[in-house]
Amino acid sequence: MYYSYVMGIDENIYKLEKEGFVIEKDNDNYQVSFPEDKAQIWEDFIKHYLEVEYWNEYLAKDKVVFLFHLEDGYKRFEVIDFVNDEVLALCEKLCDCKFESIKKMLSDNAFYGKILN
């Protein structure tokens, strides 16, 4: 399974359940799990909701996929072993904070923390 934690989405996300997605509400946010063959469906869906200067990521088997919505369009990164200086810098810039590492940033989220540990 692949995993994503998403904020700022309305209840239209539940439409993905028909496609085999598992959606769990977490306060105003959602924990999303989906099979590998549904990754493109997730990317297409989340792009519709990502505002400029926001991103979403999902944990895959051997990588983390980041989708950034920037002023000049979307950028997609596949991060292996949680190491990518460009992705880390973009995350820090967009949320105006400093992260120890990509892995630490993700592990600090309770949903991702359970999966990564």
Side-chain angles (χ1 to χ4, degrees), residues 8-40:
I9 302 285
D10 59 30
E11 295 203 357
N12 281 324
I13 194 168
Y14 287 112
K15 292 178 182 177
L16 292 173
E17 289 180 327
K18 291 184 238 171
E19 300 284 343
F21 286 70
V22 177
I23 313 292
E24 294 182 38
K25 193 160 177 80
D26 181 32
N27 296 314
D28 291 332
N29 307 315
Y30 296 93
Q31 300 172 3
V32 182
S33 304
F34 52 95
E36 179 179 355
D37 65 337
K38 304 296 183 181
Q40 190 59 55

PDB file of all heavy atoms in Angstrom, residues 8-40:
ATOM      1  N   GLY A   8      -6.858  20.172   3.857  1.00  0.00           N
ATOM      2  CA  GLY A   8      -7.505  21.136   2.970  1.00  0.00           C
ATOM      3  C   GLY A   8      -8.333  20.526   1.859  1.00  0.00           C
ATOM      4  O   GLY A   8      -8.542  21.153   0.822  1.00  0.00           O
ATOM      5  N   ILE A   9      -8.815  19.323   2.050  1.00  0.00           N
ATOM      6  CA  ILE A   9      -9.630  18.650   1.037  1.00  0.00           C
ATOM      7  C   ILE A   9     -11.056  18.556   1.572  1.00  0.00           C
ATOM      8  O   ILE A   9     -11.269  18.341   2.761  1.00  0.00           O
ATOM      9  CB  ILE A   9      -9.092  17.225   0.762  1.00  0.00           C
ATOM     10  CG1 ILE A   9      -7.648  17.263   0.305  1.00  0.00           C
ATOM     11  CG2 ILE A   9      -9.968  16.475  -0.213  1.00  0.00           C
ATOM     12  CD1 ILE A   9      -7.430  17.725  -1.095  1.00  0.00           C
ATOM     13  N   ASP A  10     -12.022  18.671   0.681  1.00  0.00           N
ATOM     14  CA  ASP A  10     -13.402  18.512   1.117  1.00  0.00           C
ATOM     15  C   ASP A  10     -13.806  17.034   1.041  1.00  0.00           C
ATOM     16  O   ASP A  10     -12.987  16.171   0.729  1.00  0.00           O
ATOM     17  CB  ASP A  10     -14.341  19.395   0.294  1.00  0.00           C
ATOM     18  CG  ASP A  10     -14.304  19.094  -1.193  1.00  0.00           C
ATOM     19  OD1 ASP A  10     -14.052  17.927  -1.569  1.00  0.00           O
ATOM     20  OD2 ASP A  10     -14.547  20.019  -1.991  1.00  0.00           O
ATOM     21  N   GLU A  11     -15.034  16.758   1.306  1.00  0.00           N
ATOM     22  CA  GLU A  11     -15.489  15.373   1.384  1.00  0.00           C
ATOM     23  C   GLU A  11     -15.566  14.675   0.029  1.00  0.00           C
ATOM     24  O   GLU A  11     -15.891  13.490  -0.035  1.00  0.00           O
ATOM     25  CB  GLU A  11     -16.808  15.301   2.142  1.00  0.00           C
ATOM     26  CG  GLU A  11     -16.609  15.712   3.593  1.00  0.00           C
ATOM     27  CD  GLU A  11     -17.651  15.165   4.523  1.00  0.00           C
ATOM     28  OE1 GLU A  11     -18.587  14.490   4.076  1.00  0.00           O
ATOM     29  OE2 GLU A  11     -17.503  15.416   5.733  1.00  0.00           O
ATOM     30  N   ASN A  12     -15.247  15.374  -1.045  1.00  0.00           N
ATOM     31  CA  ASN A  12     -15.152  14.717  -2.361  1.00  0.00           C
ATOM     32  C   ASN A  12     -14.099  13.618  -2.361  1.00  0.00           C
ATOM     33  O   ASN A  12     -14.115  12.749  -3.226  1.00  0.00           O
ATOM     34  CB  ASN A  12     -14.826  15.731  -3.460  1.00  0.00           C
ATOM     35  CG  ASN A  12     -16.054  16.496  -3.883  1.00  0.00           C
ATOM     36  OD1 ASN A  12     -17.155  15.941  -3.923  1.00  0.00           O
ATOM     37  ND2 ASN A  12     -15.881  17.768  -4.187  1.00  0.00           N
ATOM     38  N   ILE A  13     -13.205  13.662  -1.387  1.00  0.00           N
ATOM     39  CA  ILE A  13     -12.162  12.646  -1.306  1.00  0.00           C
ATOM     40  C   ILE A  13     -12.766  11.248  -1.155  1.00  0.00           C
ATOM     41  O   ILE A  13     -12.195  10.267  -1.618  1.00  0.00           O
ATOM     42  CB  ILE A  13     -11.167  12.957  -0.163  1.00  0.00           C
ATOM     43  CG1 ILE A  13      -9.909  12.107  -0.312  1.00  0.00           C
ATOM     44  CG2 ILE A  13     -11.825  12.794   1.196  1.00  0.00           C
ATOM     45  CD1 ILE A  13      -8.766  12.529   0.578  1.00  0.00           C
ATOM     46  N   TYR A  14     -13.931  11.167  -0.554  1.00  0.00           N
ATOM     47  CA  TYR A  14     -14.560   9.862  -0.352  1.00  0.00           C
ATOM     48  C   TYR A  14     -14.956   9.184  -1.663  1.00  0.00           C
ATOM     49  O   TYR A  14     -15.151   7.974  -1.698  1.00  0.00           O
ATOM     50  CB  TYR A  14     -15.767   9.977   0.576  1.00  0.00           C
ATOM     51  CG  TYR A  14     -15.365  10.204   2.018  1.00  0.00           C
ATOM     52  CD1 TYR A  14     -15.629  11.419   2.642  1.00  0.00           C
ATOM     53  CD2 TYR A  14     -14.706   9.219   2.748  1.00  0.00           C
ATOM     54  CE1 TYR A  14     -15.266  11.632   3.962  1.00  0.00           C
ATOM     55  CE2 TYR A  14     -14.335   9.425   4.063  1.00  0.00           C
ATOM     56  CZ  TYR A  14     -14.618  10.637   4.667  1.00  0.00           C
ATOM     57  OH  TYR A  14     -14.242  10.842   5.975  1.00  0.00           O
ATOM     58  N   LYS A  15     -15.024   9.938  -2.750  1.00  0.00           N
ATOM     59  CA  LYS A  15     -15.305   9.343  -4.060  1.00  0.00           C
ATOM     60  C   LYS A  15     -14.210   8.348  -4.458  1.00  0.00           C
ATOM     61  O   LYS A  15     -14.453   7.433  -5.235  1.00  0.00           O
ATOM     62  CB  LYS A  15     -15.441  10.427  -5.134  1.00  0.00           C
ATOM     63  CG  LYS A  15     -16.650  11.299  -4.962  1.00  0.00           C
ATOM     64  CD  LYS A  15     -16.704  12.376  -6.030  1.00  0.00           C
ATOM     65  CE  LYS A  15     -17.901  13.277  -5.825  1.00  0.00           C
ATOM     66  NZ  LYS A  15     -17.951  14.376  -6.795  1.00  0.00           N
ATOM     67  N   LEU A  16     -13.022   8.544  -3.920  1.00  0.00           N
ATOM     68  CA  LEU A  16     -11.906   7.650  -4.237  1.00  0.00           C
ATOM     69  C   LEU A  16     -12.092   6.246  -3.649  1.00  0.00           C
ATOM     70  O   LEU A  16     -11.439   5.301  -4.100  1.00  0.00           O
ATOM     71  CB  LEU A  16     -10.585   8.245  -3.742  1.00  0.00           C
ATOM     72  CG  LEU A  16     -10.107   9.504  -4.459  1.00  0.00           C
ATOM     73  CD1 LEU A  16      -8.882  10.074  -3.753  1.00  0.00           C
ATOM     74  CD2 LEU A  16      -9.808   9.220  -5.913  1.00  0.00           C
ATOM     75  N   GLU A  17     -12.954   6.115  -2.679  1.00  0.00           N
ATOM     76  CA  GLU A  17     -13.187   4.786  -2.097  1.00  0.00           C
ATOM     77  C   GLU A  17     -13.686   3.801  -3.154  1.00  0.00           C
ATOM     78  O   GLU A  17     -13.351   2.618  -3.105  1.00  0.00           O
ATOM     79  CB  GLU A  17     -14.156   4.869  -0.920  1.00  0.00           C
ATOM     80  CG  GLU A  17     -13.530   5.533   0.290  1.00  0.00           C
ATOM     81  CD  GLU A  17     -14.451   5.647   1.484  1.00  0.00           C
ATOM     82  OE1 GLU A  17     -15.684   5.812   1.284  1.00  0.00           O
ATOM     83  OE2 GLU A  17     -13.946   5.576   2.618  1.00  0.00           O
ATOM     84  N   LYS A  18     -14.433   4.289  -4.130  1.00  0.00           N
ATOM     85  CA  LYS A  18     -14.915   3.429  -5.229  1.00  0.00           C
ATOM     86  C   LYS A  18     -13.768   2.890  -6.069  1.00  0.00           C
ATOM     87  O   LYS A  18     -13.906   1.891  -6.752  1.00  0.00           O
ATOM     88  CB  LYS A  18     -15.884   4.201  -6.132  1.00  0.00           C
ATOM     89  CG  LYS A  18     -17.195   4.540  -5.487  1.00  0.00           C
ATOM     90  CD  LYS A  18     -18.097   5.217  -6.497  1.00  0.00           C
ATOM     91  CE  LYS A  18     -18.487   6.573  -5.950  1.00  0.00           C
ATOM     92  NZ  LYS A  18     -19.181   7.421  -6.863  1.00  0.00           N
ATOM     93  N   GLU A  19     -12.617   3.571  -6.001  1.00  0.00           N
ATOM     94  CA  GLU A  19     -11.431   3.170  -6.773  1.00  0.00           C
ATOM     95  C   GLU A  19     -10.488   2.276  -5.962  1.00  0.00           C
ATOM     96  O   GLU A  19      -9.409   1.934  -6.424  1.00  0.00           O
ATOM     97  CB  GLU A  19     -10.658   4.417  -7.225  1.00  0.00           C
ATOM     98  CG  GLU A  19     -11.425   5.363  -8.096  1.00  0.00           C
ATOM     99  CD  GLU A  19     -11.561   4.868  -9.516  1.00  0.00           C
ATOM    100  OE1 GLU A  19     -10.814   3.957  -9.937  1.00  0.00           O
ATOM    101  OE2 GLU A  19     -12.428   5.403 -10.230  1.00  0.00           O
ATOM    102  N   GLY A  20     -10.868   1.954  -4.728  1.00  0.00           N
ATOM    103  CA  GLY A  20     -10.030   1.091  -3.904  1.00  0.00           C
ATOM    104  C   GLY A  20      -9.186   1.825  -2.877  1.00  0.00           C
ATOM    105  O   GLY A  20      -8.321   1.225  -2.237  1.00  0.00           O
ATOM    106  N   PHE A  21      -9.424   3.114  -2.685  1.00  0.00           N
ATOM    107  CA  PHE A  21      -8.709   3.900  -1.690  1.00  0.00           C
ATOM    108  C   PHE A  21      -9.346   3.698  -0.322  1.00  0.00           C
ATOM    109  O   PHE A  21     -10.564   3.523  -0.212  1.00  0.00           O
ATOM    110  CB  PHE A  21      -8.758   5.391  -2.034  1.00  0.00           C
ATOM    111  CG  PHE A  21      -7.885   5.787  -3.180  1.00  0.00           C
ATOM    112  CD1 PHE A  21      -8.187   5.412  -4.486  1.00  0.00           C
ATOM    113  CD2 PHE A  21      -6.750   6.558  -2.965  1.00  0.00           C
ATOM    114  CE1 PHE A  21      -7.387   5.782  -5.545  1.00  0.00           C
ATOM    115  CE2 PHE A  21      -5.943   6.942  -4.026  1.00  0.00           C
ATOM    116  CZ  PHE A  21      -6.256   6.547  -5.315  1.00  0.00           C
ATOM    117  N   VAL A  22      -8.529   3.732   0.716  1.00  0.00           N
ATOM    118  CA  VAL A  22      -9.017   3.702   2.093  1.00  0.00           C
ATOM    119  C   VAL A  22      -8.830   5.111   2.641  1.00  0.00           C
ATOM    120  O   VAL A  22      -7.706   5.631   2.670  1.00  0.00           O
ATOM    121  CB  VAL A  22      -8.238   2.671   2.947  1.00  0.00           C
ATOM    122  CG1 VAL A  22      -8.711   2.722   4.388  1.00  0.00           C
ATOM    123  CG2 VAL A  22      -8.381   1.278   2.359  1.00  0.00           C
ATOM    124  N   ILE A  23      -9.919   5.729   3.053  1.00  0.00           N
ATOM    125  CA  ILE A  23      -9.901   7.107   3.524  1.00  0.00           C
ATOM    126  C   ILE A  23     -10.339   7.120   4.982  1.00  0.00           C
ATOM    127  O   ILE A  23     -11.415   6.630   5.321  1.00  0.00           O
ATOM    128  CB  ILE A  23     -10.874   8.001   2.719  1.00  0.00           C
ATOM    129  CG1 ILE A  23     -10.736   7.791   1.214  1.00  0.00           C
ATOM    130  CG2 ILE A  23     -10.760   9.453   3.140  1.00  0.00           C
ATOM    131  CD1 ILE A  23      -9.465   8.265   0.607  1.00  0.00           C
ATOM    132  N   GLU A  24      -9.490   7.688   5.855  1.00  0.00           N
ATOM    133  CA  GLU A  24      -9.835   7.829   7.265  1.00  0.00           C
ATOM    134  C   GLU A  24      -9.711   9.295   7.655  1.00  0.00           C
ATOM    135  O   GLU A  24      -8.666   9.916   7.434  1.00  0.00           O
ATOM    136  CB  GLU A  24      -8.903   6.981   8.130  1.00  0.00           C
ATOM    137  CG  GLU A  24      -9.072   5.492   7.898  1.00  0.00           C
ATOM    138  CD  GLU A  24      -8.175   4.667   8.799  1.00  0.00           C
ATOM    139  OE1 GLU A  24      -7.999   5.039   9.976  1.00  0.00           O
ATOM    140  OE2 GLU A  24      -7.655   3.654   8.305  1.00  0.00           O
ATOM    141  N   LYS A  25     -10.774   9.828   8.219  1.00  0.00           N
ATOM    142  CA  LYS A  25     -10.771  11.219   8.648  1.00  0.00           C
ATOM    143  C   LYS A  25      -9.930  11.367   9.913  1.00  0.00           C
ATOM    144  O   LYS A  25      -9.996  10.531  10.808  1.00  0.00           O
ATOM    145  CB  LYS A  25     -12.205  11.686   8.891  1.00  0.00           C
ATOM    146  CG  LYS A  25     -12.331  13.178   9.026  1.00  0.00           C
ATOM    147  CD  LYS A  25     -13.762  13.612   8.769  1.00  0.00           C
ATOM    148  CE  LYS A  25     -13.956  15.083   8.969  1.00  0.00           C
ATOM    149  NZ  LYS A  25     -13.536  15.912   7.897  1.00  0.00           N
ATOM    150  N   ASP A  26      -9.143  12.416   9.973  1.00  0.00           N
ATOM    151  CA  ASP A  26      -8.309  12.735  11.127  1.00  0.00           C
ATOM    152  C   ASP A  26      -8.521  14.215  11.438  1.00  0.00           C
ATOM    153  O   ASP A  26      -7.847  15.073  10.858  1.00  0.00           O
ATOM    154  CB  ASP A  26      -6.841  12.432  10.823  1.00  0.00           C
ATOM    155  CG  ASP A  26      -5.922  12.724  11.986  1.00  0.00           C
ATOM    156  OD1 ASP A  26      -6.352  12.567  13.144  1.00  0.00           O
ATOM    157  OD2 ASP A  26      -4.763  13.114  11.736  1.00  0.00           O
ATOM    158  N   ASN A  27      -9.504  14.511  12.291  1.00  0.00           N
ATOM    159  CA  ASN A  27      -9.955  15.888  12.524  1.00  0.00           C
ATOM    160  C   ASN A  27     -10.428  16.470  11.194  1.00  0.00           C
ATOM    161  O   ASN A  27     -11.332  15.934  10.594  1.00  0.00           O
ATOM    162  CB  ASN A  27      -8.870  16.721  13.198  1.00  0.00           C
ATOM    163  CG  ASN A  27      -8.552  16.202  14.587  1.00  0.00           C
ATOM    164  OD1 ASN A  27      -9.454  15.908  15.368  1.00  0.00           O
ATOM    165  ND2 ASN A  27      -7.272  16.062  14.897  1.00  0.00           N
ATOM    166  N   ASP A  28      -9.797  17.536  10.701  1.00  0.00           N
ATOM    167  CA  ASP A  28     -10.184  18.118   9.409  1.00  0.00           C
ATOM    168  C   ASP A  28      -9.325  17.588   8.262  1.00  0.00           C
ATOM    169  O   ASP A  28      -9.407  18.101   7.148  1.00  0.00           O
ATOM    170  CB  ASP A  28     -10.073  19.646   9.458  1.00  0.00           C
ATOM    171  CG  ASP A  28     -11.117  20.263  10.375  1.00  0.00           C
ATOM    172  OD1 ASP A  28     -12.198  19.654  10.546  1.00  0.00           O
ATOM    173  OD2 ASP A  28     -10.853  21.342  10.927  1.00  0.00           O
ATOM    174  N   ASN A  29      -8.490  16.612   8.540  1.00  0.00           N
ATOM    175  CA  ASN A  29      -7.556  16.071   7.559  1.00  0.00           C
ATOM    176  C   ASN A  29      -7.915  14.628   7.237  1.00  0.00           C
ATOM    177  O   ASN A  29      -8.851  14.072   7.800  1.00  0.00           O
ATOM    178  CB  ASN A  29      -6.130  16.177   8.090  1.00  0.00           C
ATOM    179  CG  ASN A  29      -5.811  17.590   8.532  1.00  0.00           C
ATOM    180  OD1 ASN A  29      -6.122  18.550   7.847  1.00  0.00           O
ATOM    181  ND2 ASN A  29      -5.200  17.725   9.694  1.00  0.00           N
ATOM    182  N   TYR A  30      -7.129  14.024   6.328  1.00  0.00           N
ATOM    183  CA  TYR A  30      -7.420  12.651   5.921  1.00  0.00           C
ATOM    184  C   TYR A  30      -6.139  11.824   5.829  1.00  0.00           C
ATOM    185  O   TYR A  30      -5.113  12.307   5.350  1.00  0.00           O
ATOM    186  CB  TYR A  30      -8.113  12.619   4.560  1.00  0.00           C
ATOM    187  CG  TYR A  30      -9.461  13.292   4.584  1.00  0.00           C
ATOM    188  CD1 TYR A  30      -9.584  14.637   4.236  1.00  0.00           C
ATOM    189  CD2 TYR A  30     -10.598  12.590   4.968  1.00  0.00           C
ATOM    190  CE1 TYR A  30     -10.820  15.257   4.265  1.00  0.00           C
ATOM    191  CE2 TYR A  30     -11.839  13.210   4.999  1.00  0.00           C
ATOM    192  CZ  TYR A  30     -11.941  14.540   4.652  1.00  0.00           C
ATOM    193  OH  TYR A  30     -13.166  15.164   4.695  1.00  0.00           O
ATOM    194  N   GLN A  31      -6.250  10.587   6.274  1.00  0.00           N
ATOM    195  CA  GLN A  31      -5.209   9.591   6.087  1.00  0.00           C
ATOM    196  C   GLN A  31      -5.671   8.721   4.920  1.00  0.00           C
ATOM    197  O   GLN A  31      -6.775   8.173   4.955  1.00  0.00           O
ATOM    198  CB  GLN A  31      -5.043   8.750   7.346  1.00  0.00           C
ATOM    199  CG  GLN A  31      -4.657   9.561   8.552  1.00  0.00           C
ATOM    200  CD  GLN A  31      -4.689   8.745   9.843  1.00  0.00           C
ATOM    201  OE1 GLN A  31      -4.949   7.559   9.850  1.00  0.00           O
ATOM    202  NE2 GLN A  31      -4.407   9.421  10.940  1.00  0.00           N
ATOM    203  N   VAL A  32      -4.834   8.616   3.911  1.00  0.00           N
ATOM    204  CA  VAL A  32      -5.225   7.938   2.679  1.00  0.00           C
ATOM    205  C   VAL A  32      -4.261   6.786   2.409  1.00  0.00           C
ATOM    206  O   VAL A  32      -3.047   6.962   2.468  1.00  0.00           O
ATOM    207  CB  VAL A  32      -5.195   8.925   1.486  1.00  0.00           C
ATOM    208  CG1 VAL A  32      -5.641   8.248   0.213  1.00  0.00           C
ATOM    209  CG2 VAL A  32      -6.050  10.159   1.778  1.00  0.00           C
ATOM    210  N   SER A  33      -4.823   5.623   2.099  1.00  0.00           N
ATOM    211  CA  SER A  33      -4.028   4.457   1.704  1.00  0.00           C
ATOM    212  C   SER A  33      -4.565   3.968   0.372  1.00  0.00           C
ATOM    213  O   SER A  33      -5.778   3.986   0.147  1.00  0.00           O
ATOM    214  CB  SER A  33      -4.145   3.337   2.736  1.00  0.00           C
ATOM    215  OG  SER A  33      -3.776   3.798   4.007  1.00  0.00           O
ATOM    216  N   PHE A  34      -3.640   3.527  -0.489  1.00  0.00           N
ATOM    217  CA  PHE A  34      -4.079   3.060  -1.802  1.00  0.00           C
ATOM    218  C   PHE A  34      -3.054   2.102  -2.394  1.00  0.00           C
ATOM    219  O   PHE A  34      -1.871   2.169  -2.073  1.00  0.00           O
ATOM    220  CB  PHE A  34      -4.336   4.234  -2.752  1.00  0.00           C
ATOM    221  CG  PHE A  34      -3.214   5.226  -2.876  1.00  0.00           C
ATOM    222  CD1 PHE A  34      -2.285   5.127  -3.896  1.00  0.00           C
ATOM    223  CD2 PHE A  34      -3.097   6.270  -1.978  1.00  0.00           C
ATOM    224  CE1 PHE A  34      -1.255   6.053  -4.019  1.00  0.00           C
ATOM    225  CE2 PHE A  34      -2.077   7.207  -2.086  1.00  0.00           C
ATOM    226  CZ  PHE A  34      -1.153   7.095  -3.119  1.00  0.00           C
ATOM    227  N   PRO A  35      -3.522   1.203  -3.261  1.00  0.00           N
ATOM    228  CA  PRO A  35      -2.609   0.262  -3.909  1.00  0.00           C
ATOM    229  C   PRO A  35      -1.692   0.987  -4.902  1.00  0.00           C
ATOM    230  O   PRO A  35      -2.024   2.057  -5.422  1.00  0.00           O
ATOM    231  CB  PRO A  35      -3.527  -0.709  -4.646  1.00  0.00           C
ATOM    232  CG  PRO A  35      -4.917  -0.373  -4.257  1.00  0.00           C
ATOM    233  CD  PRO A  35      -4.908   0.961  -3.612  1.00  0.00           C
ATOM    234  N   GLU A  36      -0.566   0.368  -5.154  1.00  0.00           N
ATOM    235  CA  GLU A  36       0.431   0.942  -6.061  1.00  0.00           C
ATOM    236  C   GLU A  36      -0.163   1.333  -7.415  1.00  0.00           C
ATOM    237  O   GLU A  36       0.160   2.388  -7.955  1.00  0.00           O
ATOM    238  CB  GLU A  36       1.557  -0.077  -6.255  1.00  0.00           C
ATOM    239  CG  GLU A  36       2.650   0.358  -7.191  1.00  0.00           C
ATOM    240  CD  GLU A  36       3.749  -0.679  -7.320  1.00  0.00           C
ATOM    241  OE1 GLU A  36       3.726  -1.708  -6.604  1.00  0.00           O
ATOM    242  OE2 GLU A  36       4.638  -0.453  -8.158  1.00  0.00           O
ATOM    243  N   ASP A  37      -1.049   0.516  -7.951  1.00  0.00           N
ATOM    244  CA  ASP A  37      -1.590   0.794  -9.279  1.00  0.00           C
ATOM    245  C   ASP A  37      -2.572   1.965  -9.302  1.00  0.00           C
ATOM    246  O   ASP A  37      -3.058   2.346 -10.360  1.00  0.00           O
ATOM    247  CB  ASP A  37      -2.228  -0.460  -9.886  1.00  0.00           C
ATOM    248  CG  ASP A  37      -3.450  -0.943  -9.135  1.00  0.00           C
ATOM    249  OD1 ASP A  37      -3.599  -0.627  -7.940  1.00  0.00           O
ATOM    250  OD2 ASP A  37      -4.270  -1.656  -9.751  1.00  0.00           O
ATOM    251  N   LYS A  38      -2.835   2.560  -8.148  1.00  0.00           N
ATOM    252  CA  LYS A  38      -3.732   3.728  -8.069  1.00  0.00           C
ATOM    253  C   LYS A  38      -2.965   5.034  -7.873  1.00  0.00           C
ATOM    254  O   LYS A  38      -3.568   6.083  -7.677  1.00  0.00           O
ATOM    255  CB  LYS A  38      -4.735   3.556  -6.926  1.00  0.00           C
ATOM    256  CG  LYS A  38      -5.565   2.288  -6.997  1.00  0.00           C
ATOM    257  CD  LYS A  38      -6.461   2.258  -8.208  1.00  0.00           C
ATOM    258  CE  LYS A  38      -7.311   0.987  -8.178  1.00  0.00           C
ATOM    259  NZ  LYS A  38      -8.183   0.876  -9.314  1.00  0.00           N
ATOM    260  N   ALA A  39      -1.641   4.985  -7.936  1.00  0.00           N
ATOM    261  CA  ALA A  39      -0.825   6.186  -7.680  1.00  0.00           C
ATOM    262  C   ALA A  39      -1.154   7.317  -8.651  1.00  0.00           C
ATOM    263  O   ALA A  39      -1.249   8.473  -8.239  1.00  0.00           O
ATOM    264  CB  ALA A  39       0.661   5.838  -7.735  1.00  0.00           C
ATOM    265  N   GLN A  40      -1.352   7.013  -9.910  1.00  0.00           N
ATOM    266  CA  GLN A  40      -1.651   8.074 -10.877  1.00  0.00           C
ATOM    267  C   GLN A  40      -3.016   8.701 -10.598  1.00  0.00           C
ATOM    268  O   GLN A  40      -3.187   9.910 -10.754  1.00  0.00           O
ATOM    269  CB  GLN A  40      -1.591   7.553 -12.317  1.00  0.00           C
ATOM    270  CG  GLN A  40      -1.650   8.656 -13.355  1.00  0.00           C
ATOM    271  CD  GLN A  40      -0.521   9.664 -13.213  1.00  0.00           C
ATOM    272  OE1 GLN A  40       0.641   9.312 -13.218  1.00  0.00           O
ATOM    273  NE2 GLN A  40      -0.868  10.938 -13.062  1.00  0.00           N
TER     274      GLN A  40
END
